[in-house]
Amino acid sequence: MVELHDFALIAVILAIAAVAGLLATRLRQPMIVAFIGVGVLVGPAGTGWVVADSTVELLARMGIAILLFLVGLRLDMHLIRTTGTVALITGSGQVLFTSVVGYLLAAGFGMDTVAALYVALALTFSSTIIIVKLLSDTRELEQIHGRIAVGLLIVQDIIVVVVMIAINALDQRTDNAVTVSIVVVLAKGAGLLAGVAILAKCVLPWLLKQIARSQELLVLFGVAYAASVAAVTEALGFSSEVGAFLAGVSLAATAYRDALGARLVSLRDFLLLFFFLDLGAGLNFADTAGQVAKIAVFSLFVLVGKPLIVTVIMAALRYPIQVGFSTGIPLAQISEFSLILAALGASLGHITTATVSLITVVGLLTIGGSTYLILYSHKLYRRLERWLRVFERAGTRTVDIADKDAEVYAILYGLGRFGRHVADHLSRAGHRVLAVDFDPHRVGANTRDGVTAVYGSAEDLHFLETLPLNQARFVISTIPLLETNQALLHGLRHHDYRGHIALTAHTVHDAAQLRAAGAEVILEPFSLAVEATTEILGRLIDEDADSDDRNDD
C-alpha cells in the first residue's frame, strides 16, 4: 500500500476527482455520483488513503458549514411565515408515515424489532447537503418547492437530533435520564437562539458596516463567523450544521447577504467535493451479498414512496400537485445522518454490522438515484402528471410556482454622483429601480422613493443569480471601470439576459473597447459634459463678441 503525506494525498485525490468529474461531464452524468465513487476508491474499500479523522474529513465538515451558512443567508422572516406551517406539517407527517411503512417492510423481512426501528428511522431522513447543492445547481432553491423542501429538511434535522439524544439517554439505563436530557437540550437550545438573536440585533449590523469596506475581509468574516457559531453549537451538543445554518439566518436580513453569498459559492463547491469524497470513503459494503432483496425493496421505497408521501400530504393541504411533487422528489434518498445513526446503533450493540451495511448500500443507491430524479424532475412530472392528478383536492390554493421576483424596471450599478442622478431621473419618471453598490454607506444612505439599494459587486457572476434579470428591462452601469463593465457584460450574456444594457466609459479608448465587446449603449458623461460645456462657452463667447460689436458701434 502506497503511503502519502497530507499535501501529496490531497493533490492526488484532487487530480483523481478532476478526471472523474471530466468523465462524468462528458457522459452527461451528475458529478456528485462521480465524486462519491472517487471516495469509495480512495477509502477503506479501495486504496485506503482516506480514513476516519483525516484531513479530508475536516475539509468536508468545513464544506458542510459553508453550505448550511449559505442556506441560512437565503432565509428571511417572510419566507418562514409563508412556508413554515406547511414545512412543519408535511415534514412531521412524512417522518411519521415513512417510519411506519419502513418498519412494516423491515418486519416483513423477519428483522427483529430494534433492527427494524433503526432501518425505519434511517429511511426517514434525507440529506440536507445533497438536496441543497442540487437545488442550487438547478436554481430551484428560491422557488416555492425549494423553500418548502428546505423547511422539511430543517424539521427532519431537528427530529434526528432528538432521536439520537434519546437513544444515548436510553442507553444510560436510568429512570430520569431521558427527561433530564430533554430539559438540558431545551435550555441549551434557548440559550443558543437568544445569543444568535442578540448578535443579529445589536452587534452584526454595526460590525458589517466596518467589515464591508473590504471585499476580502467580508469573505473572511463570513467563513469565520459560520465556523465559529458551528463550533459553539457542537460544543453545546448540537450538530455543527445547526450552528452554521443559524449563523446564516442571523445575517439574512442584512444588506450584505447576497454579496456575501455570491462570494462564497465557489468556496462552497470546492469544499463540498471533500464531503462527497468523505461520504464515499465511509461507506461499508460488508455483509451485503445476502441482502439483495432487502436492498432493492428499501431503495425502491425511498426513491418512490417518500416523494409520493410528501406529494399526498401537500395535496391534502391543498397545494398544487406540481408543487408537492417538486418538493417530494428531492427527498428521495437517505441522509448522512442515517449512516451516523446506524453507526451509533452498532457502537451501542443495538444492531449488527449486516444492518449497517444494508443501510449503507441503500444510502449509496438512493443518493445516486435521487440525483437523476432531481435533475430530470420536470420531464418526470410531465410523464406522471395525469396519474398524480388523482391526489389533487378541490379548492387547491393558488401558488406562484415559478415564484418570480417583483417587477423591476431597471437594475442600476453604482450610486456615485452620476448613478444617483440616473436613479433620481428614473424614479421621478415612475420606474422602479434596483440599485447595486459595494459601498455600504451609499447603500445605507439611500432614501429615494422607488429605488431599492442592495449591497453587491458588478464583477460577481454568482451575484447576478440573485437579481431579477427576467423582470428588468434595463441594466445600467454607472461605474467607469473598463474591467468591471466587461465582467458585467460577460455575466449578463452568461445568464442570457434579454433586456437593454448601458455601460459607462470615461475615455474614448474604454468606449471603443466596450463597443468592440458588443455593448449596446455607451454612456460617456465626460464627453457629454465637454460637449455641453463647449456649447455653453460657445454661446457665452458669441454673446460677448456681439456685445463688443455693439459697444464699438
Side-chain angles (χ1 to χ4, degrees):
M1 184 73 65
V2 178
E3 292 188 5
L4 298 172
H5 296 293
D6 287 345
F7 189 85
L9 172 65
I10 296 297
V12 170
I13 291 175
L14 287 175
I16 296 173
V19 172
L22 176 62
L23 289 174
T25 302
R26 292 292 178 88
L27 296 173
R28 299 182 182 276
Q29 305 302 309
M31 283 201 289
I32 286 178
V33 175
F35 292 155
I36 293 174
V38 173
V40 175
L41 175 64
V42 301
T47 61
W49 292 341
V50 175
V51 295
D53 300 322
S54 67
T55 304
V56 170
E57 183 182 19
L58 176 61
L59 293 171
R61 295 184 65 192
M62 284 297 297
I64 295 170
I66 298 300
L67 173 69
L68 272 297
F69 176 67
L70 292 180
V71 173
L73 274 178
R74 293 181 179 273
L75 292 183
D76 53 37
M77 290 308 298
H78 174 70
L79 169 66
I80 295 172
R81 285 194 296 268
T82 54
T83 63
T85 302
V86 63
L88 179 61
I89 295 174
T90 308
S92 303
Q94 180 267 318
V95 168
L96 176 63
F97 287 114
T98 304
S99 56
V100 168
V101 176
Y103 176 81
L104 293 176
L105 289 174
F109 279 112
M111 302 179 71
D112 64 76
T113 301
V114 175
L117 283 173
Y118 269 93
V119 169
L121 289 171
L123 300 180
T124 296
F125 307 113
S126 304
S127 175
T128 301
I129 292 90
I130 292 174
I131 291 172
V132 171
K133 178 66 170 67
L134 288 170
L135 290 178
S136 297
D137 290 345
T138 55
R139 299 182 185 176
E140 296 180 47
L141 197 58
E142 292 298 313
Q143 296 184 23
I144 185 66
H145 64 271
R147 295 178 177 185
I148 296 174
V150 169
L152 290 174
L153 294 169
I154 294 170
V155 172
Q156 285 188 1
D157 288 348
I158 292 172
I159 292 174
V160 74
V161 169
V162 171
V163 167
M164 293 175 70
I165 290 172
I167 289 173
N168 278 301
L170 288 170
D171 193 63
Q172 295 175 14
R173 305 180 188 281
T174 59
D175 295 335
N176 61 348
V178 176
T179 303
V180 171
S181 295
I182 291 174
V183 171
V184 171
V185 167
L186 291 175
K188 289 180 178 179
L192 176 63
L193 292 174
V196 171
I198 292 171
L199 280 175
K201 186 73 174 177
C202 304
V203 179
L204 293 174
W206 173 84
L207 184 60
L208 280 170
K209 283 185 179 179
Q210 315 307 314
I211 290 173
R213 297 173 182 177
S214 167
Q215 300 182 28
E216 293 80 4
L217 187 58
L218 183 66
V219 173
L220 177 59
F221 168 77
V223 175
Y225 181 57
S228 298
V229 179
V232 170
T233 54
E234 192 172 49
L236 291 174
F238 301 99
S239 68
S240 58
E241 288 86 354
V242 172
F245 175 76
L246 288 176
V249 172
S250 67
L251 297 177
T254 67
Y256 314 101
R257 70 168 191 168
D258 289 332
L260 181 57
R263 291 277 170 179
L264 290 176
V265 166
S266 297
L267 178 62
R268 176 204 69 184
D269 291 342
F270 174 71
L271 291 175
L272 278 181
L273 162 64
F274 294 99
F275 165 76
F276 297 118
L277 293 173
D278 188 57
L279 178 63
L283 295 177
N284 183 353
F285 299 102
D287 305 315
T288 58
Q291 304 188 84
V292 175
K294 295 179 186 177
I295 291 170
V297 170
F298 289 136
S299 298
L300 189 63
F301 170 61
V302 171
L303 289 169
V304 178
K306 283 175 70 174
L308 188 60
I309 288 171
V310 172
T311 303
V312 172
I313 293 174
M314 290 189 65
L317 295 174
R318 290 185 168 83
Y319 274 81
I321 287 296
Q322 183 177 353
V323 175
F325 180 82
S326 299
T327 303
I329 279 292
L331 305 181
Q333 86 283 114
I334 68 173
S335 169
E336 61 281 356
F337 278 125
S338 301
L339 305 180
I340 295 171
L341 181 67
L344 174 63
S347 67
L348 296 176
H350 295 169
I351 57 176
T352 64
T353 56
T355 304
V356 176
S357 300
L358 169 67
I359 294 171
T360 298
V361 176
V362 170
L364 179 62
L365 292 175
T366 55
I367 287 171
S370 67
T371 301
Y372 290 96
L373 292 179
I374 294 172
L375 293 177
Y376 298 104
S377 61
H378 299 292
K379 293 181 180 178
L380 191 60
Y381 174 75
R382 286 196 292 270
R383 290 180 177 273
L384 299 176
E385 182 178 6
R386 56 180 174 176
W387 289 286
L388 292 172
R389 289 291 174 191
V390 140
F391 302 109
E392 195 162 48
R393 295 183 60 183
T396 296
R397 69 181 72 195
T398 301
V399 175
D400 184 0
I401 294 174
D403 192 33
K404 295 180 181 178
D405 300 282
E407 186 169 353
V408 169
Y409 182 77
I411 297 173
L412 174 68
Y413 278 91
L415 277 174
R417 280 183 292 181
F418 182 38
R420 289 196 297 270
H421 285 298
V422 173
D424 288 337
H425 177 78
L426 290 171
S427 63
R428 282 196 300 267
H431 301 305
R432 184 178 174 187
V433 179
L434 178 63
V436 181
D437 199 292
F438 209 83
D439 186 335
H441 298 290
R442 290 178 181 173
V443 173
N446 175 66
T447 57
R448 295 166 180 81
D449 293 333
V451 179
T452 302
V454 296
Y455 178 83
S457 171
E459 299 178 66
D460 203 324
L461 183 65
H462 295 295
F463 179 74
L464 284 172
E465 296 177 1
T466 69
L467 301 179
L469 294 177
N470 60 322
Q471 299 289 342
R473 297 181 62 182
F474 287 87
V475 172
I476 304 167
S477 170
T478 61
I479 302 169
L481 300 177
L482 175 62
E483 294 79 7
T484 299
N485 285 319
Q486 287 175 329
L488 177 60
L489 184 62
H490 169 74
L492 291 170
R493 286 176 174 169
H494 176 77
H495 286 82
D496 197 27
Y497 175 66
R498 301 287 185 177
H500 303 289
I501 303 172
L503 307 176
T504 298
H506 276 183
T507 68
V508 174
H509 173 267
D510 288 355
Q513 291 286 95
L514 291 175
R515 287 192 183 93
E520 180 182 0
V521 177
I522 308 297
L523 305 177
E524 300 179 74
F526 282 2
S527 297
L528 293 174
V530 168
E531 292 177 6
T533 302
T534 302
E535 183 179 345
I536 292 170
L537 289 175
R539 286 201 304 267
L540 290 174
I541 292 170
D542 290 342
E543 289 173 2
D544 185 63
D546 291 341
S547 177
D548 288 343
D549 290 341
R550 286 195 298 271
N551 290 334
D552 289 342
D553 293 340

